[in-house]
Amino acid sequence: MQAVALLRPPYIPSFPSRPHFYCLPKRTNLPASCSSHRTESPVKAEDSTIPRSEEYRYQFYDDWFLALFRNKMVKEVGWDSEKAGYDGLIEVASRLMLRRTPSDTTDAAVRILKSLFPPFLLHLYKSLVSPIGGGKLAAMMVARVTVITCQWLMGVCKVNSVDLPDGSSWESGVFVERCKYLEESKCVGICVNTCKLPTQTFFKDYMGIPLLMEPNFNDYSCQFKFGVLPPLPEDDGTLKEPCLEACPIASKRRGAASDMVIVRCPKSRDISAFPCLQSNKP
């Protein structure tokens, strides 16, 4: 037995070959309605009963995807942040919201998504792949590609099963455990107008795949449902969510409220609806 023990190699601790791409910071701010006509209680953003998502491990292609996406966004906005990496991307996304109506922001975000793909590839996918099996194959394919290529942007996510209106189930869902894009931007408007609505539009119009995205502003998770049509805007509860208290865009609008009679919520889909703040001026 002593001889066997001497031949046993010593324990060597293992270390990850690549650094973690990020660790989500613990959020301490609480979201609250920035609309003066809403009366519901603030939604709690952090709950000790909600498990933290596992950390996403850096992949060699993540920097390339980040640089590509940011360059396309900078080209659309016409401005770039001095900050490097993901922090700079969030600043460019915030600039995309400024001086634009929500509809204009969504249209701009759709153009950014289109620019990431060769036009012929989108056309071939919509014409040849999307019709197969009533769209099931295409929906399942994009769900898996999303998990492989987009975790650098959203955080840890996985393919799951979603229920379709006809009662069937497809493995065409993507569940994002805690969306980094939402947590870093701290803005419902950025989530809705630069991610949810343009992504739904892009997949339906340019790849022939219906998509419903259901962000959860309580725990920052998000459910993608490829193959499911989104509801009409007036029936989409996401568009009626209150702003987050920590939203930097809402804070800027509060600062300008002294010179404005009405400051509208930046997430509003109707330019005449959902006033964000009302001053005391007549």
Side-chain angles (χ1 to χ4, degrees), residues 2-182:
Q2 291 179 349
V4 173
L6 290 174
L7 293 175
R8 180 182 302 166
Y11 171 73
I12 301 176
S14 61
F15 296 91
S17 58
R18 299 185 180 93
H20 291 173
F21 185 60
Y22 68 86
C23 295
L24 291 179
K26 184 176 181 180
R27 182 175 175 82
T28 58
N29 295 309
L30 298 179
S33 173
C34 67
S35 177
S36 60
H37 68 282
R38 295 180 65 89
T39 58
E40 68 270 4
S41 301
V43 179
K44 191 172 183 181
E46 190 74 39
D47 192 327
S48 59
T49 62
I50 298 175
R52 302 292 295 182
S53 64
E54 61 181 284
E55 297 171 0
Y56 169 63
R57 293 184 178 273
Y58 174 88
Q59 303 295 330
F60 70 91
Y61 47 75
D62 287 340
D63 288 338
W64 185 84
F65 279 128
L66 172 59
L68 174 63
F69 188 63
R70 178 169 174 169
N71 287 339
K72 297 296 186 180
M73 187 178 289
V74 166
K75 184 176 181 181
E76 177 68 35
V77 175
W79 175 88
D80 196 3
S81 169
E82 294 181 355
K83 295 182 179 180
Y86 202 95
D87 291 340
L89 175 69
I90 293 299
E91 284 200 346
V92 178
S94 299
R95 182 63 66 95
L96 186 66
M97 288 280 296
L98 298 179
R99 303 183 186 89
R100 284 184 171 92
T101 65
S103 295
D104 289 341
T105 300
T106 297
D107 292 342
V110 171
R111 290 193 294 270
I112 292 170
L113 292 175
K114 284 179 57 182
S115 69
L116 296 171
F117 300 86
F120 73 88
L121 180 61
L122 296 176
H123 178 72
L124 289 177
Y125 197 92
K126 183 177 181 179
S127 301
L128 302 179
V129 181
S130 294
I132 298 175
K136 182 177 182 178
L137 175 63
M140 294 177 64
M141 286 177 62
V142 294
R144 283 148 181 80
V145 172
T146 297
V147 169
I148 294 172
T149 62
C150 295
Q151 293 197 55
W152 68 268
L153 176 65
M154 304 182 300
V156 175
C157 55
K158 59 185 178 181
V159 173
N160 63 357
S161 178
V162 296
D163 295 329
L164 275 65
D166 63 4
S168 62
S169 296
W170 291 355
E171 291 288 327
S172 61
V174 175
F175 180 71
V176 183
E177 296 183 7
R178 191 173 180 91
C179 181
K180 180 177 175 66
Y181 190 69
L182 173 59

Side-chain angles (χ1 to χ4, degrees), residues 208-278:
I209 305 170
L211 168 63
L212 170 61
M213 293 173 62
E214 297 176 328
N216 186 322
F217 297 109
N218 292 327
D219 60 8
Y220 301 144
S221 64
C222 186
Q223 176 67 59
F224 287 60
K225 296 181 177 180
F226 292 102
V228 179
L229 283 169
L232 296 174
E234 57 267 26
D235 298 326
D236 193 338
T238 304
L239 307 186
K240 301 179 179 64
E241 286 288 333
C243 292
L244 302 183
E245 186 179 74
C247 173
I249 295 179
S251 299
K252 291 178 181 178
R253 290 173 179 252
R254 290 190 194 100
S258 59
D259 298 324
M260 301 175 67
V261 175
I262 293 179
V263 181
R264 293 180 177 86
C265 178
K267 72 177 183 300
S268 170
R269 302 306 302 166
D270 183 349
I271 197 64
S272 64
F274 303 121
C276 181
L277 295 172
Q278 292 186 0

